[in-house]
Amino acid sequence: MTDFPVLPADFTYGVATAAYQVEGAVDEGGRGRSIWDTFCAEPGRIRNGDTAAVACDHYHRHAEDVGLMAQLGVDVYRFSVAWPRIQPDGSGPANAEGLDFYDRLVDELLAAGITPAATLYHWDLPQALQDAGGWLSRDTSHRLAEYADLVARRLGDRVGLWMPLNEPVVVTMFGHALGTHAPGLALGFDALPVVHHLLLGHGLAVEALRGAGVDRIGIASNHQPAWAASADPADRDAADLLGTLTNWLFADPVLRGAYPEGFADAMPGPVAEDLAVISAPLDWYGVNYYQPVLVGAPGRGGAGSPALEGAVAAGLPFEPMQIPDVPTTDFGWAIVPDGLREMLVALRDRYGDALPPLYVTESGCSFHDVVGADGRVADQARIDYHDAHLRAVADAIAAGVDVRGYFAWSLLDNFEWAEGYAERFGLVHVDYDTLARTPKESFHWFRRLLAAR
Ligand code: GAL
């Protein structure tokens, strides 16, 4: 008898994906070009020169994928809408074929008893908006709201949870400060205006969604405890700065209506007025959690952590380091389930009553799984990962934090951004030659956990 983690009876379980990582069909359905298409076409940007032109072909195989989720017995599917399918050039009227695709997907989910949860911006900005300045331009915030309105008017009657943004910190840090993600800008601290425009876009999109009669609006924000490498004040300062940039620079404006000390002056526009828009109350708040980060002052010489590689080279005053003595995934990410409990408790302690109910909108791990001769994908390490992280959520709940759900990243192995297809996060294995889906042992474990409720 397996002994499953014990969560409240009404706890919500989901799986998550993002449009660019699974859909493929980049030239179909009237879709416009996104910054990730451009980035993938630049030599040296993506491991092995991979592109997302086909990815998991979810655009054509969505019915099969919904079938897998029905078999899994999951409550929620968190997917993202591809902005360039809805507005090929990033503004103006909706492309009907784009809306029709998500309309069908939503109906299939509902027919399977699965609640659709829609992310509006999971990093695939229409290239035309990038050409006009992208997230360095205030206009992009308004474009996000216009796009949100188009989607909400079509899907608002059926989508259960809404997220205007996924991980604005990653968009800023990797896309604009370090340049390892699209649009590939390595601006260091000159990327700070991107923070404000993303947050303003979030606030304006929330307004647009409410205007279209939609509720249950949140955000999916990446969070990670930032631990100092030593008690040395230089290491502590470095960890505080990275912790602020990762955890509070985005959450404070949304949940408190203020930037952390020292940041407001770096932001463009009428910041005080904008903060009133940015901090409009949310119905829930989503935490994407993968690993804590150990931080030293630059030059500390620790073996660099794969996350945030290149921070020092880009002139950022902190050095992410490998956490000693913890297991890692095949991606080299530290496996520290208690870091999730620590983060959930830290959010509650910082924001108190201003913190809406939490969802873990992503958590997961990459292992380089293979389909065995017996047709099985033996991924006990992923079972252990999700088991331990669900127990960490249970611990946070026992400590009084209101956590309502946990969404595994990801349903499918998929296009892992700059890592291409080298990393596999799925509960379902994807063979990229045949596009065959094979549920892994972790899928079957999840299915049993859900059935045992
Ligand atoms: C998150 C992101 C996902 C997925 C995951 C694993 O940062 O939202 O798109 O790639 O990480 O790296």
Side-chain angles (χ1 to χ4, degrees):
M1 257 317 277
T2 323
D3 157 31
F4 291 118
V6 180
L7 278 306
D10 57 355
F11 192 76
T12 300
Y13 293 86
V15 285
T17 66
Y20 197 69
Q21 297 179 271
V22 300
E23 284 180 2
V26 292
D27 293 322
E28 291 179 53
R31 179 185 177 279
R33 190 175 176 86
S34 88
I35 55 172
W36 273 94
D37 301 312
T38 303
F39 196 67
C40 288
E42 292 172 11
R45 293 296 202 180
I46 313 292
R47 187 179 295 271
N48 302 320
D50 290 342
T51 80
V54 177
C56 308
D57 196 33
H58 175 76
Y59 186 76
H60 296 114
R61 294 166 199 250
H62 54 92
E64 179 184 354
D65 294 336
V66 172
L68 284 166
M69 287 184 265
Q71 200 189 324
L72 185 57
V74 84
D75 305 311
V76 168
Y77 176 42
R78 177 180 170 231
F79 62 96
S80 83
V81 177
W83 190 345
R85 288 198 191 283
I86 307 304
Q87 292 178 298
D89 292 320
S91 61
N95 165 40
E97 263 189 276
L99 282 176
D100 288 350
F101 170 71
Y102 296 104
D103 195 272
R104 280 194 298 275
L105 176 65
V106 161
D107 281 347
E108 279 166 6
L109 289 164
L110 292 173
I114 299 165
T115 299
T119 311
L120 293 174
Y121 187 64
H122 205 127
W123 309 353
D124 44 359
L125 190 74
Q127 181 62 42
L129 292 185
Q130 186 61 42
D131 296 342
W135 290 109
L136 287 164
S137 160
R138 186 178 178 91
D139 184 60
T140 301
S141 317
H142 291 279
R143 298 284 70 77
L144 181 72
E146 181 183 86
Y147 155 59
D149 174 74
L150 293 174
V151 179
R153 291 195 187 276
R154 182 68 176 271
L155 306 179
D157 55 337
R158 286 159 293 153
V159 165
L161 296 166
W162 290 87
M163 290 144 277
L165 293 184
N166 179 68
E167 298 192 348
V169 64
V170 174
V171 174
T172 307
M173 191 83 90
F174 291 179
H176 297 82
L178 302 177
T180 52
H181 279 189
L185 302 176
L187 302 174
F189 275 109
D190 290 339
L192 281 173
V194 170
V195 174
H196 192 69
H197 294 143
L198 283 163
L199 288 170
L200 179 62
H202 160 86
L204 292 169
V206 171
E207 260 179 30
L209 291 171
R210 297 234 188 263
V214 158
D215 59 8
R216 303 198 70 199
I217 305 169
I219 185 170
S221 211
N222 186 54
H223 283 284
Q224 57 178 168
W227 298 337
S230 79
D232 186 315
D235 287 344
R236 283 178 184 254
D237 287 350
D240 279 351
L241 176 61
L242 182 51
T244 299
L245 290 173
T246 309
N247 296 311
W248 317 129
L249 183 58
F250 295 87
D252 279 8
V254 170
L255 297 171
R256 278 182 169 168
Y259 277 107
E261 210 190 314
F263 283 94
D265 290 347
M267 300 305 171
V271 175
E273 274 167 49
D274 292 348
L275 282 165
V277 175
I278 293 166
S279 60
L282 292 179
D283 304 298
W284 56 275
Y285 185 92
V287 174
N288 292 0
Y289 174 80
Y290 289 90
Q291 59 177 337
V293 59
L294 189 69
V295 197
R300 203 155 173 315
S305 152
L308 282 171
E309 207 172 5
V312 174
L316 300 182
F318 41 74
E319 181 150 13
M321 296 161 63
Q322 205 69 253
I323 303 174
D325 305 323
V326 300
T328 56
T329 69
D330 286 349
F331 199 171
W333 291 8
I335 303 177
V336 186
D338 193 57
L340 176 55
R341 181 204 55 80
E342 179 182 329
M343 199 66 239
L344 296 169
V345 169
L347 284 160
R348 193 270 319 271
D349 290 351
R350 188 173 179 95
Y351 300 112
D353 292 342
L355 185 68
L358 297 176
Y359 285 82
V360 177
T361 32
E362 282 180 31
S363 185
C365 50
S366 168
F367 292 100
H368 300 166
D369 311 300
V370 290
V371 182
D374 58 356
R376 292 152 65 105
V377 183
D379 63 338
Q380 183 62 40
R382 183 172 290 100
I383 296 175
D384 295 344
Y385 177 99
H386 286 297
D387 180 271
H389 286 75
L390 282 165
R391 287 175 202 273
V393 172
D395 291 344
I397 294 173
V401 188
D402 184 0
V403 191
R404 303 283 175 93
Y406 177 94
F407 305 164
W409 184 270
S410 175
L411 171 68
L412 302 169
D413 291 341
N414 59 47
F415 178 77
E416 177 54 22
W417 308 112
E419 304 301 325
Y421 299 103
E423 302 300 339
R424 295 181 173 272
F425 280 88
L427 299 178
V428 175
H429 180 276
V430 175
D431 178 324
Y432 293 110
D433 293 325
T434 64
L435 296 167
R437 276 90 163 123
T438 308
K440 303 179 188 178
E441 293 298 304
S442 57
F443 176 98
H444 297 297
W445 175 83
F446 234 105
R447 182 175 51 72
R448 288 193 300 273
L449 176 154
L450 293 168
R453 289 187 287 176

